[in-house]
Amino acid sequence: MFNWFRRKINKTDAEPASETTEKVTTPETETPSQETAQEDYLSWAKTAYKNIQQRQTSTTSQPSTETPPETTQEDLTPEIETETKEVSEPSTETKPETVPAWMEKSDRLEALKETALETATVEETSSLTFDEEFVWSAKVLAAQGRAPDDISEEEINWLKRLRQGLGKSRRGLVNQLKSIVGQGPLNEDAVMEIEALLLQADTGIEATDHIISTLQNQLLEEALPPEQALEYLKSILREMLDRPLQKVVNPGFAPEKGILNIWLLTGVNGAGKTTTIGKLAHLAQQSGYNCIIAAADTFRAAAVEQVKVWGERTNTPVIANPGQNTDPAAVVFDGISAAQARQADLLLVDTAGRLQNKKNLMAELAKIRRIIDKKADKAQVESLLVLDATLGQNGLRQAQVFSEAANLSGVVLTKLDGTAKGGVALAVAQQLDLPIRFIGVGEGIEDLRPFSSYEFVEALLNE
């Protein structure tokens, strides 16, 4: 079972890397020969791909004949044997003359339907592809000190989705930034160009000012080539995203074993709060944690029913009150009782997200907190705000109101795909001073994962 919450993110949090990993060049310690470093990463990716394939074949009865590429990544494509040829073809036997013609047509349609269903099944079970995105994902993991035999297919797939989700932001930033920062010390025109680029990416004024001033100070001391200037810019962004973690007790944000962990999730309607709860429940169970959901957003129409649907989908118990407009604190009380009785590790609480009357919202959340303090005084409590990344600065204003009404300890950034601009993550860290705990890059149940500043910045600014 793969534990996403205990995933090794970087060398400081991970165990010492193996000798094979230490030979891989990291972005912070590049060797003079970039070609050699690139070959090391490609070799690392080939080894990782082979290990994943071996683990896949060990779970099936059919041995795999695939081998990693010998020269270039284009030489290898996973061989997927489809079964469409073995599907029964439309019958060619001569039918009695008494059989109407329309019945023969029906037989052909049924055969086509079976063929289509069989083909779809094969496509869903297709194996991992060794392509450019696999190599990029492997490079990101290797740079964090990971060994090629210590990564999973789930991690590779997640990094691919993250890079694809931030594709629009990346394509609009990288080339223009490189052309600007590679010209030496920033003049007034260059500063204005960078400022416009960052603001277009929803970075926000405060974060943009910090980035420009820090970058300008460095370039005044030393004229950096475009590649090095871009790497320095990445380090600035990572530092901004990681700064809020310095004041929290649980930087890794993994549920603690042996005690009850209670996560209160709040956010305005439409931000993806209910969907996020379902994805978190799935993520927790996939990582080996026993989870329960409390449907405490009792005033929003159909909110409880939506939570129940996600509970069924993720096979997670849902505690809810059948009545309408019931007291949310009472649902939380019942949820805590159920979690304690079943010795659950994690209780996810869907709370209200109404901003029309901040006073009522504060009173409701305060009452829930009092119930938790009385019923589960030793529980580890976190308050997470679900924020829609597509809202940009409007979403940040909502977040500021919530931070005043609730004792927030982190942010879940959703919908970082499509029209979303990745710079909003920097604005959250700079203006709200809150750590980003999870990010979502799609509607799928696997499209929500714990946040890593290194992986996020690489997906945002890597070519």
Side-chain angles (χ1 to χ4, degrees):
M1 180 177 292
F2 186 79
N3 189 339
W4 274 97
F5 294 93
R6 296 294 181 184
R7 187 167 71 110
K8 299 173 184 177
I9 299 299
N10 50 46
K11 292 183 179 180
T12 57
D13 298 333
E15 297 175 359
S18 63
E19 294 181 0
T20 305
T21 305
E22 291 175 355
K23 294 179 182 179
V24 178
T25 306
T26 63
E28 292 78 11
T29 58
E30 289 188 355
T31 60
S33 175
Q34 295 184 355
E35 294 182 0
T36 303
Q38 191 65 27
E39 290 177 0
D40 290 341
Y41 281 124
L42 185 58
S43 176
W44 194 98
K46 294 175 185 177
T47 305
Y49 181 82
K50 183 178 179 180
N51 290 333
I52 293 176
Q53 291 292 347
Q54 290 176 347
R55 288 196 294 269
Q56 288 179 339
T57 55
S58 65
T59 60
T60 61
S61 58
Q62 298 180 352
S64 173
T65 58
E66 292 188 77
T67 57
E70 297 297 332
T71 55
T72 61
Q73 61 191 52
E74 291 81 2
D75 294 333
L76 179 65
T77 54
E79 300 175 3
I80 307 173
E81 297 295 336
T82 61
E83 303 293 336
T84 55
K85 294 183 179 179
E86 299 180 4
V87 177
S88 58
E89 299 290 339
S91 176
T92 58
E93 297 181 1
T94 304
K95 292 184 177 293
E97 295 180 358
T98 56
V99 178
W102 63 268
M103 291 186 64
E104 297 181 14
K105 182 179 180 181
S106 176
D107 291 340
R108 295 191 185 97
L109 290 175
E110 289 299 322
L112 288 173
K113 182 188 295 185
E114 294 176 3
T115 304
L117 291 174
E118 187 68 25
T119 303
T121 302
V122 174
E123 290 176 353
E124 290 177 359
T125 58
S126 61
S127 58
L128 202 62
T129 303
F130 191 95
D131 53 13
E132 179 185 354
E133 290 188 341
F134 184 99
V135 175
W136 175 84
S137 303
K139 182 178 179 179
V140 170
L141 292 171
Q144 296 178 90
R146 300 292 298 279
D149 59 350
D150 189 32
I151 67 171
S152 66
E153 181 180 359
E154 294 92 339
E155 290 178 286
I156 295 292
N157 286 333
W158 162 248
L159 288 174
K160 284 186 175 184
R161 291 195 296 271
L162 177 62
R163 190 168 187 252
Q164 292 169 357
L166 294 175
K168 291 185 178 180
S169 296
R170 180 176 63 254
R171 287 187 291 270
L173 280 173
V174 175
N175 291 334
Q176 297 181 67
L177 282 174
K178 286 185 67 174
S179 64
I180 297 172
V181 300
Q183 298 174 359
L186 301 180
N187 55 32
E188 185 176 352
D189 292 337
V191 169
M192 293 182 64
E193 290 184 53
I194 294 180
E195 182 179 17
L197 286 174
L198 294 175
L199 291 176
Q200 289 172 12
D202 278 340
T203 305
I205 296 177
E206 294 183 20
T208 298
D209 289 344
H210 174 77
I211 293 171
I212 290 178
S213 60
T214 307
L215 185 61
Q216 174 73 330
N217 291 336
Q218 176 65 26
L219 293 179
L220 285 173
E221 298 177 1
E222 179 184 8
L224 301 176
E227 291 76 12
Q228 294 185 22
L230 193 60
E231 287 299 325
Y232 184 71
L233 177 60
K234 290 180 182 180
S235 67
I236 297 175
L237 304 188
R238 288 195 297 267
E239 187 273 333
M240 291 177 61
L241 292 170
D242 289 336
R243 189 187 306 141
L245 291 173
Q246 298 176 1
K247 63 178 184 179
V248 300
V249 180
N250 183 16
F253 209 69
E256 297 183 28
K257 288 286 187 178
I259 65 172
L260 177 60
N261 299 267
I262 302 177
W263 292 358
L264 307 173
L265 283 95
T266 188
V268 298
N269 296 343
K273 179 163 57 74
T274 304
T275 302
T276 297
I277 288 176
K279 292 179 181 180
L280 283 176
H282 174 74
L283 180 65
Q285 292 194 348
Q286 291 294 103
S287 300
Y289 297 97
N290 185 13
C291 181
I292 290 179
I293 301 175
D297 190 359
T298 58
F299 295 99
R300 184 168 67 88
V304 175
E305 296 302 321
Q306 291 175 7
V307 173
K308 289 181 179 179
V309 170
W310 275 103
E312 294 175 359
R313 185 178 178 184
T314 60
N315 195 26
T316 304
V318 176
I319 308 301
N321 194 312
Q324 294 183 350
N325 297 335
T326 54
D327 186 5
V331 178
V332 175
F333 183 91
D334 294 339
I336 295 175
S337 299
Q340 292 173 337
R342 304 181 191 188
Q343 297 182 341
D345 301 307
L346 178 62
L347 174 64
L348 299 173
V349 180
D350 184 14
T351 65
R354 300 179 306 280
L355 289 179
Q356 295 88 340
N357 192 324
K358 188 172 67 174
K359 183 178 180 180
N360 288 348
L361 175 63
M362 293 179 64
E364 184 176 308
L365 293 175
K367 186 176 182 180
I368 290 176
R369 284 284 186 155
R370 290 195 298 270
I371 292 295
I372 294 174
D373 293 340
K374 182 177 180 180
K375 183 70 176 175
D377 57 331
K378 296 182 180 180
Q380 178 67 36
V381 184
E382 304 285 352
S383 182
L384 299 175
L385 172 66
V386 180
L387 188 61
D388 183 349
T390 62
L391 297 180
Q393 296 300 306
N394 290 332
L396 280 180
R397 283 190 283 272
Q398 295 176 359
Q400 289 172 345
V401 176
F402 272 109
S403 64
E404 298 170 1
N407 185 20
L408 297 178
S409 57
V411 173
V412 180
L413 203 56
T414 65
K415 305 180 184 180
L416 266 173
D417 58 325
T419 59
K421 299 175 182 178
V424 69
L426 301 166
V428 168
Q430 183 72 16
Q431 294 178 228
L432 302 181
D433 196 27
L434 289 172
I436 301 174
R437 293 304 196 177
F438 299 92
I439 55 173
V441 293
E443 297 297 328
I445 197 171
E446 300 284 346
D447 292 335
L448 183 81
R449 298 300 186 194
F451 179 75
S452 162
S453 64
Y454 182 83
E455 295 172 356
F456 178 84
V457 172
E458 287 299 309
L460 182 64
L461 291 181
N462 193 279
E463 294 181 277

